[in-house]
């Protein structure tokens, strides 16, 4: 929850509604992570429940104003050339 609140600019600027939504997002995120851990351990999980939780988290984040942030993942020229000289031809 602390990271969600930090992404929103800090607790002091949030309304009570935003704090409540942040708590619910944190709870749903924990439940998703529990399901993910079970899946990685080879246990079956209910993918419908996982999908519903994931969708609800996304909608709640939109309501909170959190948006997907684009970031440049293009390597700089020096890194690109170095990777090519090592035989990385992707």
């Amino acid at each position: 929850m602390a990271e969600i609140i930090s992404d929103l600019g800090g607790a002091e600027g949030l309304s009570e509604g935003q704090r409540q939504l942040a708590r619910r997002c944190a709870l749903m995120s924990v439940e998703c992570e529990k399901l993910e851990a079970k899946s990685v351990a080879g246990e079956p999980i209910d993918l419908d429940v996982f999908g519903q939780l994931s969708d609800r988290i996304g909608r709640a984040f939109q309501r909170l104003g959190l948006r997907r942030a684009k970031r440049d993942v293009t390597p700089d020229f020096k890194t690109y050339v170095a990777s090519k000289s090592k035989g990385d031809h992707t």
Side-chain angles (χ1 to χ4, degrees):
M1 183 172 152
E3 291 177 10
I4 294 168
I5 289 174
S6 176
D7 285 351
L8 292 167
E12 59 280 345
L14 298 182
S15 68
E16 178 58 27
Q18 288 172 309
R19 281 191 289 277
Q20 287 185 22
L21 272 175
R23 277 195 300 272
R24 279 147 188 90
C25 286
L27 174 69
M28 289 186 289
S29 294
V30 168
E31 290 303 311
C32 280
E33 291 193 19
K34 287 180 186 176
L35 290 170
E36 289 169 355
K38 287 175 75 171
S39 179
V40 168
E43 297 177 40
I45 64 168
D46 187 334
L47 289 175
D48 287 333
V49 169
F50 183 79
Q52 289 171 0
L53 283 169
S54 297
D55 184 57
R56 288 178 183 157
I57 292 168
R59 284 186 278 141
F61 280 152
Q62 286 178 334
R63 288 183 189 122
L64 280 170
L66 292 178
R67 302 279 183 245
R68 182 176 176 199
K70 293 180 185 180
R71 62 185 177 100
D72 186 6
V73 294
T74 308
D76 62 67
F77 183 71
K78 193 174 186 178
T79 304
Y80 176 78
V81 170
S83 73
K84 293 302 176 187
S85 68
K86 293 178 184 175
D88 179 11
H89 299 290
T90 57

